[in-house]
Amino acid sequence: MQDSTTSKEKILKKIRKALIHKSTQEIGDVDKTSGIFSSSDEPLEIQFATNFSALNGKFVFCENEQEFIESFEFIAIDNEWENIFCLEPKIKELLQKGNIKFSDQEADLLKTDIGLTLCECLVARTGSVVVSSKQLSGRRVPFYSNFHIVVAYTSQLVANTNDSLKFIKEKYNNQLPSMISTITGPSRTAD
């Protein structure tokens, strides 16, 4: 005689059995505050650059704003980027200083090759970029543009994800944004 129970029924039977016959084994206190990763002696800038690059992210360190303008202009010409979109006043000012054409018109967002944004912070441990809905570029620019370029400052570097949430809580006085997203490496989907 064949067993007519399905996999689903077998799993549910095991769950029922576990709920009825609870374990008498004590579960100890879980330490939720200690770090699970060993700390590094490297500066956060080096940690971030190493981890971000390991995820196939492209990283360019600039000493000052003039170096940023020159680097960005070279990269834009080299990649033949024409449709650059930016809403961030700080970045727009830099692009204007370098006579780099860009648009800040919402109607141009869907036609954009490059979306330039700021970020909330950079997570050195994971090589991640944290963005939120409270930024001027909001949810749209990082997700609509073919390529997303983040302009960040060393003052925005944090060691790990927990620190990034503390950073955002302090920045917004505990009024968290409706969306906080961590970008870790280039998209691996066809979205």
Side-chain angles (χ1 to χ4, degrees), residues 28-36 162 166:
D29 290 332
V30 178
D31 181 8
K32 297 177 190 171
T33 57
S34 295
I36 59 172
N162 286 344
K166 288 176 192 171

Side-chain angles (χ1 to χ4, degrees), residues 56-67:
N56 295 325
K58 305 293 186 217
F59 177 83
V60 177
F61 183 84
C62 301
E63 286 284 335
N64 54 48
E65 292 177 344
Q66 185 58 40
E67 195 174 321

